[in-house]
Amino acid sequence: MQGSGWGVLAWEPLGRRLLVEQVYDHHGNVGQGTTPLLVFDAWEHAYYLQYKNVRPDYVDQLWNLVNWADVQARLAAATAAA
């Protein structure tokens, strides 16, 4: 993910594939026709106090917080709905 915003792992039903998208702001910059499965907040406010300007350390720790069973359930629901 370059810059600020959110990194999104999403299901795209038309192509029946996973996509990685970047959402730059919360004002309608949403993937068209995709279902978000996992979202990482990469805005500086999410990590600055604890990680200062070391975003890679913040991202490394995010992987330890992911509820993979929930992501899998979201994917199963999205693929079943398609």
Side-chain angles (χ1 to χ4, degrees):
M1 157 122 200
Q2 288 288 90
S4 295
W6 296 273
V8 180
L9 173 65
W11 174 254
E12 193 269 306
L14 185 60
R16 301 197 49 80
R17 61 188 175 152
L18 292 171
L19 296 177
V20 175
E21 303 176 296
Q22 182 171 359
V23 177
Y24 297 100
D25 61 41
H26 62 284
H27 297 292
N29 189 355
V30 178
Q32 297 293 319
T34 62
T35 301
L37 306 174
L38 175 65
V39 178
F40 278 174
D41 185 350
W43 285 96
E44 186 177 85
H45 69 261
Y47 62 87
Y48 184 77
L49 290 178
Q50 187 170 357
Y51 294 94
K52 303 299 180 209
N53 287 325
V54 188
R55 186 187 298 187
D57 290 351
Y58 166 70
V59 173
D60 285 344
Q61 291 306 310
L62 283 174
W63 295 113
N64 296 322
L65 300 174
V66 174
N67 180 340
W68 292 108
D70 183 63
V71 174
Q72 183 179 13
R74 290 170 183 260
L75 177 60
T79 56

